[in-house]
């Protein structure tokens, strides 16, 4: 597998990164995951814009332009012969002896990226998944796609140990998002999701779903709902770049609605499938 390491394409086995990289010590960096369908990057501009905006929020100046990053992503697809999968990109604050405060200005950010061939989770998209409610103990800048993922890691592990696909996070009684997904509820035909505040990541798939709701004339409100309300939703679903639109059929072991993927969720999945660059893919 060929990786991109600060300007060079290098075979994975030959890659070496410094132990003094601030990503390693502090999780001091930001990242993106871009989906690839039929050899094409999906919503690449949205992901790259968010990478720049995340970096800006933590005062990292990415020394590449958006079109250069796009070229890197495309080159990784070609060199690794990826047709369906994902590109991972991360930028850290660079390499410097361990000290919390930022290093001097001569220390440049470190950009690394790779591409992977992966399968769409079609079975889970069709049948739905179970989730576990977990208290959201993450920091208050969840709008930044930061490498600091310990809160998400612990929540996902808790969900996994309960045989669930995802953790449904709640803060002060309100559902925020998943550990690596956004959460939506449907009640009496209206779609609800947490507003894009500092308490959630404004997912690119979340934004696609809001657009699709608009196109399908499905009423959609960016408004918090409580954990108690989540149990009583007609439908729940989660979204992310890799999970797409996935029905949630059980929350803490209790069926949501009739325990099957819901009607609006299915409509959104169909509309989603029509607008991804997929011709013959299953
Ligand atoms: N929320 C969190 C905390 C995430 O980490 C992610 C993706 O990794 C998402 C939501 C979904 O975002 P996207 O649709 O851009 O993949």
């Amino acid at each position: 597998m060929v990786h991109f390491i600060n300007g060079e394409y290098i075979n994975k086995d030959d890659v070496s990164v410094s132990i003094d990289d601030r990503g390693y010590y502090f999780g001091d960096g930001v990242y993106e995951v871009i989906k690839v369908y039929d050899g094409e990057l999906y919503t690449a501009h949205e992901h790259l814009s968010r990478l720049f905006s995340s970096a800006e929020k933590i005062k990292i100046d990415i020394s590449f332009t958006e079109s250069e990053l796009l070229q890197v992503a495309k080159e990784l697809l070609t060199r690794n012969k990826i047709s369906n999968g994902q590109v991972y990109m991360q930028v850290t604050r660079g390499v410097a002896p361990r000290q919390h405060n930022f290093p001097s200005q001569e220390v440049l950010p470190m950009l690394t990226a790779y591409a992977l061939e992966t399968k769409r989770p079609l079975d889970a998209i069709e049948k739905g998944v179970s989730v576990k409610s977990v208290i959201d103990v993450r920091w208050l800048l969840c709008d930044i796609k930061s490498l600091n993922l310990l809160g998400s890691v612990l929540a996902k592990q808790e969900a996994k140990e309960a045989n669930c696909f995802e953790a449904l996070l709640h803060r002060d009684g309100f559902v925020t998002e998943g550990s690596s997904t956004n959460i939506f509820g449907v009640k009496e035909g209206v779609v609800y999701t947490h507003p894009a505040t500092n308490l959630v990541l404004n997912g690119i798939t979340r934004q696609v779903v809001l657009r699709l709701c608009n196109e399908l004339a499905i009423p959609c409100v960016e408004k918090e709902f409580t954990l108690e309300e989540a149990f009583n939703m007609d439908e729940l679903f989660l979204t992310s770049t890799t999970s797409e639109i996935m029905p949630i059929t059980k929350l803490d072991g209790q069926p949501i609605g009739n325990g099957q993927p819901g009607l609006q969720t299915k409509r959104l999945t169909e509309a989603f499938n029509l607008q991804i660059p997929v011709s013959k893919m299953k």
Side-chain angles (χ1 to χ4, degrees):
M1 196 205 287
V2 179
H3 284 232
F4 178 86
I5 311 288
N6 246 14
E8 278 185 88
Y9 293 92
I10 305 178
N11 275 321
K12 187 173 185 182
D13 290 344
D14 301 325
V15 171
S16 70
V17 286
S18 170
I19 197 150
D20 277 339
D21 191 290
R22 289 179 63 94
Y24 181 67
Y25 283 138
F26 301 114
D28 187 358
V30 293
Y31 75 105
E32 275 301 326
V33 178
I34 310 175
K35 187 81 199 216
V36 181
Y37 295 107
D38 262 5
E40 277 183 51
L41 293 158
Y42 175 66
T43 55
H45 168 66
E46 289 80 350
H47 282 281
L48 293 175
S49 301
R50 187 173 63 185
L51 185 68
F52 280 97
S53 123
S54 292
E56 201 181 318
K57 286 175 184 173
I58 63 166
K59 303 186 171 74
I60 287 181
D61 189 6
I62 299 180
S63 45
F64 292 84
T65 63
E66 181 178 327
S67 66
E68 283 169 340
L69 293 187
L70 190 61
Q71 266 321 107
V72 169
K74 287 184 177 167
E75 189 65 29
L76 284 170
L77 297 186
T78 310
R79 290 189 187 229
N80 292 290
K81 300 189 176 62
I82 305 295
S83 50
N84 296 292
Q86 61 205 57
V87 172
Y88 177 87
M89 258 185 194
Q90 75 168 42
V91 185
T92 72
R93 204 180 299 280
V95 174
R98 186 181 181 281
Q99 234 173 25
H100 286 61
N101 57 275
F102 295 176
S104 66
Q105 296 214 321
E106 298 90 73
V107 174
L108 294 178
M110 176 71 128
L111 171 70
T112 54
Y114 63 85
L116 263 189
E117 182 83 13
T118 53
K119 286 204 163 63
R120 296 175 68 194
L122 291 176
D123 202 47
I125 290 170
E126 193 194 324
K127 296 187 183 130
V129 292
S130 301
V131 300
K132 180 182 192 304
S133 63
V134 176
I135 295 176
D136 192 346
V137 296
R138 300 172 306 160
W139 71 336
L140 296 175
L141 299 175
C142 297
D143 52 315
I144 301 171
K145 202 162 166 64
S146 148
L147 290 177
N148 249 282
L149 287 171
L150 204 43
S152 298
V153 166
L154 293 176
K156 185 80 97 189
Q157 181 61 19
E158 196 173 326
K160 192 170 176 213
E161 285 172 11
N163 287 320
C164 289
F165 176 81
E166 176 61 306
L168 179 142
L169 303 177
H170 54 97
R171 196 190 283 270
D172 300 331
F174 290 95
V175 173
T176 48
E177 59 180 337
S179 72
S180 61
T181 58
N182 290 108
I183 303 282
F184 289 73
V186 186
K187 187 73 181 172
E188 286 158 9
V190 181
V191 173
Y192 296 90
T193 195
H194 196 288
T197 65
N198 62 309
L199 298 183
V200 299
L201 183 75
N202 188 3
I204 305 303
T205 323
R206 173 189 182 279
Q207 295 168 48
V208 169
V209 165
L210 293 179
R211 175 170 59 74
L212 293 176
C213 281
N214 200 20
E215 285 170 19
L216 296 172
I218 299 174
C220 184
V221 193
E222 293 177 73
K223 183 173 182 291
E224 295 92 340
F225 52 89
T226 64
L227 180 59
E228 206 180 314
E229 285 167 332
F231 282 103
N232 293 310
M233 288 285 177
D234 300 327
E235 305 176 31
L236 281 179
F237 62 91
L238 57 83
T239 65
S240 82
T241 297
T242 52
S243 298
E244 303 183 2
I245 300 172
M246 204 173 265
I248 295 172
T249 48
K250 269 189 186 167
L251 168 57
D252 291 345
Q254 292 189 37
I256 299 301
N258 62 6
Q260 299 296 320
L263 190 68
Q264 305 304 333
T265 311
K266 282 191 196 156
R267 285 181 70 198
L268 287 164
T269 297
E270 274 166 29
F272 183 86
N273 285 338
L274 287 175
Q275 49 88 66
I276 51 177
V278 178
S279 44
K280 45 210 175 295
M281 259 185 74
K282 273 268 170 236

